[in-house]
Structure formats: structure tokens, C-alpha cells
Amino acid sequence: MTPHVVHTRAELRAALDAPPRPGRRAVVMTMGALHEGHLALVRAARERADQVVVTIFVNPLQFGPTEDLARYPRDLAADVALLATAGADVVFAPDVDEVYRGEAVVRVSAGRLGERLEGAHRPGHFDGVLTVVLKLLHLVAPDVAVFGQKDAQQLAAVRRMVHDLDVPVEI
Ligand code: PAF
């Protein structure tokens, strides 16, 4: 079934609240350019929840000055077509203003977790990841969030944020 695609916070809220009210809600966060790995996460989310929300947002905060944000691939129609096969109910595809509403002055710090391995040569990358992950968790309000294990440092940082900041979600 084709997922319900929304772009604003208000549309997301309406889609999440639309009857029938689901039991558990899962989120899978992505930056689009979806492939089989993402679809596997959506299927895993489907097994754990009654309503599956996929976010598609290319997050400028996690790109460094030498990384080409503008050239990151974006094809929403192709992504939505793939998600229809994997069982997503709602796709939240906001633009940058909708997410950040101006400058992101306050950010989440990954602390020492963001300074080693990949973070050692991408300063600020994991702060940007955690900031958007926390915002999307607040906006979607899921019971469970499903992340790939391929990016092990990201997963560890998300788990730590959820623990340290008492975010009420299962990872
Ligand atoms: O893994 C990704 O695609 C991104 O880092 C994420 C978690 C969607 C945050 O922008």
C-alpha cells in the first residue's frame, strides 16, 4: 500500500492521530536514497509495531564544510515507491526549515563518543546526528526506533543518548 506522505509537523501530527489509533508505533530514520538495507529496517519495524513511520530528511547539521550536502541524492518518488513494498504507513519528508525553524543554536553533544573513529575526522558529525535523531523522536513519538547496525558508532551514540537523556523509546 502506498504510504501517506507528509511534509509538515501539522500534517505528521494529523497522520499519526488519524483513526484507527495504532497500538505500537515504530520509526525508521533515513536520509533517502533508499536501498534494500533500509527496506530491511522497515520490515523489522513492521514486525515490532502496528504503525511504521519512515522519515526522509537530509540533515545539514551532520555534514561537514567539505562534504557536499547539495549533491546528496534526493528522489522522493522513488523512495516512496520502494517504501510501499516494505510496509511503511507514513513517510515524513520535511524540508530544513520545517525541522530546524531557523538556526539550531542548542544541539545535542555526543561527547567523547563523537570524537573517535569516524568522528575523529568528521568533527561535529555525531552531534548533528544526535540532534536530528532527538528532534525526530520528539516529532514522531515512537515506541520503538529501528537503526541499522552497519553504522555501529551511530547506533552506540543513539543508544547512549537515549540512556543519558532518559528518552522514552526502545532502540
Ligand atoms: O543513518 C542515517 O541515515 C542518518 O544519520 C540519520 C540517522 C537518518 C540521521 O540523519
Side-chain angles (χ1 to χ4, degrees), residues 2-168:
T2 305
H4 185 175
V5 182
V6 296
H7 300 281
T8 67
R9 293 159 180 254
E11 290 168 350
L12 174 65
R13 202 65 264 152
L16 297 180
D17 290 346
R21 295 255 168 129
R24 272 164 68 85
R25 177 183 300 149
V27 68
V28 177
M29 299 180 192
T30 80
M31 299 210 300
L34 301 183
H35 52 65
E36 182 49 41
H38 296 107
L39 301 185
L41 298 182
V42 175
R43 287 191 284 267
R46 181 90 268 166
E47 285 169 14
R48 290 164 173 78
D50 307 285
Q51 185 186 46
V52 177
V53 180
V54 177
T55 67
I56 298 180
F57 178 62
V58 182
N59 174 33
L61 243 55
Q62 67 190 78
F63 284 75
T66 60
E67 300 174 40
D68 205 342
L69 170 66
R71 289 181 55 186
Y72 197 88
R74 293 166 171 87
D75 187 343
L76 182 61
D79 288 342
V80 171
L82 280 176
L83 289 171
T85 68
D89 298 299
V90 177
V91 174
F92 180 44
D95 65 18
V96 173
D97 281 346
E98 189 66 24
V99 172
Y100 286 110
R101 299 181 296 184
E103 190 190 354
V105 177
V106 175
R107 300 181 185 195
V108 178
S109 167
R112 65 174 188 272
L113 289 184
E115 289 162 12
R116 43 175 92 132
L117 302 169
E118 186 182 351
H121 55 91
R122 297 184 77 187
H125 169 72
F126 286 103
D127 296 354
V129 170
L130 293 187
T131 300
V132 81
V133 167
L134 187 61
K135 286 172 73 70
L136 292 171
L137 287 174
H138 285 312
L139 291 173
V140 176
D143 300 286
V144 54
V146 179
F147 290 87
Q149 291 180 317
K150 185 165 72 78
D151 193 343
Q153 188 173 8
Q154 171 170 285
L155 177 59
V158 169
R159 282 192 195 285
R160 190 64 198 230
M161 173 181 74
V162 163
H163 174 270
D164 287 1
L165 301 184
D166 295 305
V167 186

